[in-house]
């Protein structure tokens, strides 16, 4: 039943956004929304009642790498407590990724659109100051 719920959610997303890459697997969906690149993964065997969302934030500038990575660790505290998400580092691509996990039963089109808007705003800020500006204290 869970994979069907995931496929239904993907169909709803396809009606709202252009899917970038449906891939051969029906368990991975990539889409571009609100100026950001998102990937959705069905929880599969380990977590069949969930969907994992990734958003690519991009590379970490070498000139300020250490303060940026420290800031991301600090922000993980806020993000985890608010929406059970966290920044991660993809060493293979040398980039930052934001990850969120949702229960499929609660992962509605409206919820995902709200998350896409919030995360896209965060990616815009990342592109501007990598969260190092003094006014950046938390996300909601």
């Amino acid at each position: 039943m869970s994979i069907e719920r995931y496929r239904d959610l993907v169909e709803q997303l396809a009606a709202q956004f252009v899917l970038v890459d449906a891939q051969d697997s029906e368990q991975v969906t990539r889409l571009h929304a609100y100026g950001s690149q998102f990937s959705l993964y069905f929880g599969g065997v380990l977590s069949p009642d969930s969907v994992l969302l990734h958003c690519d934030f991009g590379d970490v500038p070498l000139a300020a790498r250490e303060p940026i990575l420290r800031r991301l660790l600090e922000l993980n505290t806020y993000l985890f407590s608010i929406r059970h998400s966290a920044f991660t580092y993809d060493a293979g691509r040398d980039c930052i990724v934001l990850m969120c996990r949702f229960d499929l039963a609660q992962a509605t089109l409206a919820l995902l659109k709200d998350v896409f808007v919030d995360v896209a705003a965060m990616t815009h800020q990342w592109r501007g100051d990598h969260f190092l500006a003094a006014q950046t204290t938390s996300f909601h």
Side-chain angles (χ1 to χ4, degrees):
M1 179 67 176
S2 294
I3 188 68
E4 289 82 14
R5 173 72 184 111
Y6 173 79
R7 290 178 184 150
D8 181 53
L9 188 61
V10 169
E11 286 179 21
Q12 292 175 47
L13 288 167
Q16 296 286 312
F17 304 101
V18 176
L19 299 184
V20 174
D21 181 11
Q23 291 196 347
D24 292 333
S25 169
E26 294 182 359
Q27 298 182 12
V28 179
T29 304
R30 299 190 197 300
L31 62 107
H32 190 79
Y34 307 109
S36 297
Q37 184 68 37
F38 295 91
S39 300
L40 296 172
Y41 301 91
F42 174 65
V45 176
L46 295 176
S47 187
D49 295 322
S50 70
V51 60
L52 184 64
L53 180 140
H54 285 194
C55 181
D56 292 336
F57 272 61
D59 65 340
V60 179
L62 291 176
R65 192 173 191 88
E66 185 177 329
I68 290 170
L69 294 176
R70 276 196 317 252
R71 183 67 175 141
L72 290 174
L73 286 172
E74 178 187 357
L75 292 172
N76 273 346
T77 302
Y78 298 109
L79 291 171
F80 184 78
S81 64
I82 293 170
R83 64 166 68 120
H84 304 290
S85 55
F87 285 107
T88 64
Y89 174 70
D90 182 334
R93 296 184 305 135
D94 190 30
C95 70
I96 298 298
V97 175
L98 181 71
M99 295 175 31
C100 307
R101 183 178 303 276
F102 301 95
D103 290 335
L104 269 171
Q106 298 170 346
T108 64
L109 178 61
L111 170 75
L112 287 178
K113 285 174 69 174
D114 286 347
V115 171
F116 290 165
V117 167
D118 288 347
V119 173
M122 291 169 58
T123 62
H124 181 74
Q125 184 174 354
W126 168 264
R127 292 173 191 144
D129 65 16
H130 297 92
F131 306 134
L132 293 178
Q135 69 269 19
T136 305
T137 56
S138 66
F139 299 110
H140 38 297

